[in-house]
Amino acid sequence: MSRPLVASFFDRMHAHPFFRKHSRKAVIFVPYVWLLVFFLLPFFIILKISVSEMEVATFLPLLKYRDGIVSLALNVSHYLFIFEDELYSATYLASLKYAAVTTFWCLFIGYPFAYFMARAKATIQPALLMLVMLPFWTSFLLRVYAWKGLLMESGWVSELLIAVHADDLLLHLGLITAPGKFMYTPFSLVLGMVYTYLPFMVLPLYATLSKMDLRLLEAAADLGATPWVGFWKITVPLSKAGIIAGSMLVFIPCIGEYVIPELLGGPSTMMIGRVLWDEFFSNNDWPMASSVAVVVILLIIVPLALFNKYQAEATEARA
Amino acid sequence: MTPATAAPATLQIRDVVKDFGGGSVAVNHVSLDIHKGEIFALLGSSGCGKTTLLRMLAGFEIPTQGSILLDGQDLAGLPPYLRPINMMFQSYALFPHLTVWDNIAFGLKRDGMPKERIAERVEAMLKLVQLPKYAKRKPHQLSGGQQQRVALARSLAKRPQLMLLDEPLGALDKKLREETQIELVNIIHEVGVTCVMVTHDQEEAMTMATRIAVMSEGKILQVGAPAEIYETPATRFVADFIGNVNMMEGTVAVDEPDMVEIDCGYCRHRVGHGITGTVGMEVSVALRPEKIRLSRTKPEGQVNQVQGTVRDRSYFGSFTVYNLELAGGRRLKVSESNVERHREDAPAEGQVAWATWPDTAQVVLTQ
């Protein structure tokens, strides 16, 4: 055996019964520990804070023992407050709305994008894919800041929109508040979010569309389907998995988005991420902030659970 | 054989050329007449242009030149979805997200047929291919043979004027393929649809087709009934492509109206029919292995016989194939059917044997 020492060490290690038996578990173990320490644990801390009572700057313990009685004190007043105060419900709804609108536009722009990318010549597809991923080479924060410059008065996107009278239309639709002013409006917010999250829609769509068997479209045409009908009856249903995956990848982070509303949104586009920040760092009301955070997580878990359910069903159908 | 009818052919292919560019012409000046109710096979090895021709009929490719007429109507400019032609794809191309029922109904729905009539037609189609119990299944829940039948039902559902079959049995294993060949032909005859099929499998073409066109390098070499193609190939290529053949080069020695003799040097042929040729002309004699007999003693006469040594012998059950080495290292393949069990005088390996054949066995080829 002329294998180097290190390689032969690994050979022996792989051959060891313990390693053979547990190697798979060992590989899964690392990310599990990571998630446990940096996600589940903080979540329980937040959950605990959200039901705690605060006195000056300390949290009172949840469990109390006095005169042989153990009492558990859960302060749910913050949760009740969330449901009573219209600010919160309105902000949650606004977050859902902007996330949904962003998802819609990402799908609307991303689908044709991914479609033509998947149907382009095989030789130029890697280049097109590269173009989609190119924005990731620059910091997300910088790119959002750049939009600020572009949309400001005398910014050239702003000038262009005015030149084609797009501001009249946006004003008419209530997406901006004054002619020629695009910043700090629902328009600038959604534009920034669509811009940022578009690649997350395009990539899973491209993955499903490029795998599609084009002979199915020939078969559809052969059976009398026009290209338009073939698209809706064959291509779209077969790319359902990509549509759902892309929509989840856009919708879920959009709900909790903080940076884009902060930089591009205005007072009329309050989203829950912003409220969360304010509660934590302006009001210093940690139990309140934690309650808001828990509700956000629940809000995100529902669509995620639906997604998982769909995926499980799809895998079952294929098996 | 071509049905003797005065009516023009259902499908007329007139001087069709398809040039994809890049130097090679996929389909090179092809003209064909295909008659009503025929199962017409385009036979050739891969890359011979048969699939391109089929795709032009379906409308997926546009001919560079020439025209295609279906029942007198020129198909030029008609997209696939407007042609009264349906195709059964090699890969079946069943829609994976639709049930068997919806796959068959797909084409009918596109025609805007009323719901009750669609249901009626789909039920009839399922019955035709013996799959009524599988209507609710998805394609991936079916076996290869069942998928093939769904594909057949789907392409027949619209009652096309012309049905195209692209390697219809290519994806099935050998045993299933043999069973399905007959079944497929029966169904096609029951429906009475005109068919053009593409295959590289000569047995498939022989069993299924009423007529075969042998294609090579974009051209049609010969068109005829299966027996015609096999027994009287027109060219060396066709003789070689269809079945096994011994090819012997020689010159015409005697040329008479009802007989010719061809001298191959190591063997002299007497052929019992005249040819269009002259004495001294170089020709090939094609001789099928199953038309040759072997004996261990020298047969009578001087012609249509050759001596050789058995180099190997392969037993196939119903027949045995001998490989004879002739003078000068030439080889001769002989196939004898095993009509007797354990024939005693069968030449063994290494033994000298005489091969002989009747004067009706050979085909003289000049091109």
Side-chain angles (χ1 to χ4, degrees), chain A residues 249-265:
Chain A
L249 285 177
V250 174
F251 186 75
I252 291 167
C254 272
I255 292 180
E257 184 57 57
Y258 168 71
V259 174
I260 302 170
E262 180 67 18
L263 293 178
L264 298 176

Side-chain angles (χ1 to χ4, degrees), chain B residues 16-278:
Chain B
V16 163
V17 176
K18 179 66 190 182
D19 187 353
F20 286 111
S24 69
V25 180
V27 175
N28 200 349
H29 298 281
V30 165
S31 293
L32 280 172
D33 275 350
I34 292 159
H35 299 274
K36 197 168 171 57
E38 253 193 312
I39 301 178
F40 191 92
L42 296 168
L43 177 64
S45 47
S46 66
C48 73
K50 58 190 194 298
T51 304
T52 306
L53 185 58
L54 196 77
R55 290 175 60 81
M56 284 194 279
L57 298 180
F60 299 134
E61 307 284 354
I62 296 161
T64 314
Q65 186 192 315
S67 58
I68 298 165
L69 285 85
L70 184 64
D71 286 329
Q73 187 201 1
D74 194 339
L75 295 178
L78 271 189
Y81 52 89
L82 293 180
R83 296 188 180 200
I85 297 174
N86 287 131
M87 177 149 158
M88 193 178 130
F89 290 80
Q90 182 178 11
S91 59
Y92 310 142
L94 296 175
F95 305 130
H97 59 299
L98 298 180
T99 60
V100 166
W101 204 96
D102 286 324
N103 261 285
I104 299 173
F106 188 90
L108 303 172
K109 285 182 185 165
R110 303 286 83 78
D111 285 355
M113 193 187 259
K115 274 209 167 78
E116 314 80 66
R117 285 200 46 216
I118 292 180
E120 220 171 84
R121 185 76 68 85
V122 173
E123 301 297 335
M125 282 299 140
L126 283 169
K127 222 167 157 186
L128 184 71
V129 297
Q130 297 165 18
L131 287 174
K133 283 182 197 149
Y134 296 86
K136 292 281 166 282
R137 298 249 188 129
K138 292 273 181 74
H140 65 85
Q141 295 166 314
L142 302 176
S143 71
Q146 290 166 338
Q147 290 183 13
Q148 192 258 1
R149 283 186 278 161
V150 175
L152 177 68
R154 188 178 70 174
S155 52
L156 284 173
K158 291 183 80 173
R159 301 210 176 124
Q161 275 164 266
L162 177 68
M163 180 153 91
L164 308 174
L165 303 152
D166 185 6
E167 304 272 2
L169 307 168
L172 302 180
D173 57 62
K174 194 177 186 310
K175 182 96 177 121
L176 193 57
R177 189 160 39 195
E178 283 168 5
E179 291 167 15
T180 315
Q181 277 170 0
I182 313 293
E183 195 188 310
L184 189 57
V185 171
N186 288 341
I187 290 174
I188 291 167
H189 282 317
E190 198 177 324
V191 179
V193 64
T194 310
C195 281
V196 176
M197 67 182 265
V198 148
T199 180
H200 68 276
D201 182 336
Q202 40 147 321
E203 271 179 47
E204 195 172 299
M206 294 269 187
T207 338
M208 292 179 64
T210 46
R211 277 199 304 155
I212 298 174
V214 181
M215 280 186 82
S216 173
E217 291 174 356
K219 284 188 176 155
I220 290 191
L221 300 179
Q222 190 175 358
V223 182
E228 204 180 322
I229 299 261
Y230 187 81
E231 301 295 359
T232 48
T235 64
R236 291 182 183 96
F237 182 91
V238 174
D240 210 27
F241 188 76
I242 310 284
N244 278 312
V245 75
N246 294 297
M247 211 61 95
M248 302 181 192
E249 311 301 323
T251 50
V252 178
V254 178
D255 182 19
E256 278 172 30
D258 60 344
M259 184 275 278
V260 282
E261 282 192 18
I262 291 146
D263 188 12
C264 299
Y266 56 96
C267 143
R268 195 177 175 93
H269 284 278
R270 175 174 292 169
V271 184
H273 59 80
I275 61 162
T276 46
T278 49

Side-chain angles (χ1 to χ4, degrees), chain B residues 291-340:
Chain B
K291 296 189 168 49
I292 308 174
R293 297 274 75 82
L294 277 187
S295 65
R296 297 192 18 211
T297 52
K298 188 185 180 314
E300 287 175 23
Q302 295 300 319
V303 294
N304 291 352
Q305 53 179 270
V306 68
Q307 193 191 29
T309 314
V310 177
R311 280 297 164 223
D312 63 58
R313 194 167 73 153
S314 316
Y315 180 73
F316 284 91
S318 58
F319 60 97
T320 302
V321 173
Y322 296 86
N323 207 328
L324 244 59
E325 188 179 321
L326 310 181
R330 290 181 189 82
R331 293 282 175 160
L332 187 75
K333 220 180 216 179
V334 180
S335 167
E336 291 225 295
S337 68
N338 296 322
V339 283
E340 284 173 57

